[in-house]
Amino acid sequence: MNETTRDVVELGQWFDAYVADEKKIEPKDWMPDAYRKTLVRQISQHAHSEVIGMQPEGNWITRAPTLRRKAGLLAKVQDEAGHGLYLYSAAETLGVSRGQMDDGLLSGKDKYSSIFNYPTPTWADIGAIGWLVDGAAITNQIPLCRCSYGPYARAMIRVCKEESFHQRQGYEIMLRLSHGTAEQKRMAQDALNRWWWPAVMMFGPSDKDSAHSAQSMAWRIKRVSNDDLRQRFVDMTVKQADYLGLTMPDPDLKWNEERGHYDIGEIDWSDFWKVVKGNGPCNRQRLAHRQKAHDDGEWVRDAALAHANKRVARATRDAA
Ligand code: FAQ
């Protein structure tokens, strides 16, 4: 074993013990290359999801039924932009630039959550997204507050607080619609029918097919497996649907006394992979819209950079 290899082995042992002791890894700490790469992949995908995730709901800001609903939705969509920023900043601490991440998204190389490739044809979709999509996001993100990487874990604490407000505003929309006129109840049921399975799939492939889970759990990046998170979401959401008086679009859904959980029907994984690979109902539209926003924002980036360069030049001159 040469000196360098021995150092890496020792550092690796230090890293494993440190993480096992529930201590946080910070940007300047030593970390295995693969740990860094996994974090960059997951955090940047998460950031892209927040940013692309503004589009399905943004579609309804100008058409929200009341001023109160418009203000709530506007605040929610703005929050998602903020989540994207915290997450891009967390990923930058790992040595990747915002420009590299933008390129990854816009070139189609990087993934973002499958859930944001479905359309929002009615106002009830806004209720269903808040209730189901934010509900699933919180279920996934609460354990990430205990992630071994400090900047990601800390970003998640604030994100979860805001997602909790989002989930409630969505559920309240569903409550009003499902207790409203027959037409409103029909809209709420239709939205649930269309969003349920995509929300169940958001947690990613089942544990046996999840390429990264075992290593990510060993490194304490992920704290709960995809299937266990999915089960938590199902158990919580079935009761909420009962309270709304809506029917889950799954004839095989039933309480399993022995397991103490709900069983669900078979998930159509072919539909999930079709969407993940770029062929869902709105994939192309979402990326084209993001590309246009990026192009339109070029002058803002140029102006910010020119301002920053001017400040650096002034500080250098003053210091001389
Ligand atoms: N969509 O081995 P695993 C939100 C990919 S934020 C697309 O299990 P991993 C807030 C996965 O990347 C929603 N791709 O992977 C909001 C991998 O491909 P790769 C986003 C998916 O990383 C609400 C491959 O499949 N949340 O909703 C999906 O261990 C309303 C194999 O999968 C996060 O990103 C999917 N659903 O576990 C915003 C949370 N699932 O990279 C606006 C953080 C899997 O090898 C409005 N992320 N894939 O090419 C995570 O917890 C994890 O990354 C998982 C996937 C659980 C998503």
Side-chain angles (χ1 to χ4, degrees), residues 37-53:
K37 208 170 142 208
T38 295
L39 281 171
V40 168
R41 178 186 62 79
Q42 177 166 328
I43 302 174
S44 58
Q45 285 180 6
H46 194 166
H48 299 330
S49 304
E50 301 281 357
V51 169
I52 296 280

Side-chain angles (χ1 to χ4, degrees), residues 68-288:
R68 177 173 165 263
R69 292 294 188 203
K70 191 195 284 275
L73 184 58
L74 196 57
K76 178 186 191 299
V77 172
Q78 252 177 313
D79 284 351
E80 309 299 0
H83 298 173
L85 280 178
Y86 313 151
L87 287 162
Y88 282 128
S89 301
E92 279 177 319
T93 65
L94 291 155
V96 63
S97 74
R98 178 69 189 272
Q100 286 170 307
M101 291 186 274
D102 285 343
D103 287 348
L105 172 65
L106 295 172
S107 67
K109 184 175 75 57
D110 285 5
K111 294 189 170 70
Y112 59 86
S113 182
S114 49
I115 195 75
F116 302 117
N117 293 303
Y118 295 88
T120 45
T122 77
W123 172 251
D125 291 306
I126 302 310
I129 291 180
W131 172 34
L132 301 173
V133 178
D134 286 276
I138 299 172
T139 309
N140 169 279
Q141 287 166 182
I142 284 177
L144 289 175
C145 296
R146 292 186 294 116
C147 164
S148 57
Y149 188 58
Y152 191 27
R154 290 190 287 274
M156 281 300 104
I157 293 170
R158 177 155 176 190
V159 168
C160 283
K161 286 190 179 145
E162 292 175 353
E163 300 291 27
S164 162
F165 153 72
H166 298 168
Q167 197 271 351
R168 284 178 218 181
Q169 70 88 37
Y171 192 70
E172 202 251 342
I173 292 174
M174 294 302 273
L175 198 59
R176 291 289 291 271
L177 291 175
S178 58
H179 290 90
T181 64
E183 176 61 10
Q184 286 173 322
K185 182 164 184 185
R186 194 195 59 71
M187 271 170 58
Q189 181 65 56
D190 174 59
L192 170 59
N193 294 350
R194 286 181 290 105
W195 287 93
W196 174 244
W197 287 108
V200 166
M201 290 191 258
M202 254 179 93
F203 296 91
S206 62
D207 294 349
K208 66 178 172 35
D209 298 319
S210 166
H212 305 292
S213 277
Q215 184 59 77
S216 289
M217 289 187 61
W219 278 329
R220 303 193 184 211
I221 294 174
K222 283 168 85 164
R223 309 301 306 240
V224 183
S225 80
N226 297 0
D227 284 336
D228 287 349
L229 287 172
R230 192 175 355 259
Q231 185 71 63
R232 278 185 195 177
F233 172 70
V234 168
D235 291 347
M236 173 182 82
T237 312
V238 170
K239 294 190 184 77
Q240 294 170 347
D242 280 349
Y243 188 74
L244 294 175
L246 299 178
T247 309
M248 286 296 193
D250 178 359
D252 297 322
L253 181 79
K254 60 174 184 311
W255 178 251
N256 183 324
E257 195 62 54
E258 208 176 305
R259 291 199 314 118
H261 292 290
Y262 283 94
D263 289 335
I264 60 169
E266 204 147 320
I267 296 174
D268 181 359
W269 289 114
S270 64
D271 186 57
F272 171 74
W273 289 115
K274 185 177 87 186
V275 177
V276 171
K277 287 181 182 154
N279 298 311
C282 300
N283 294 61
R284 284 170 191 80
Q285 179 188 331
R286 299 288 185 245
L287 270 188

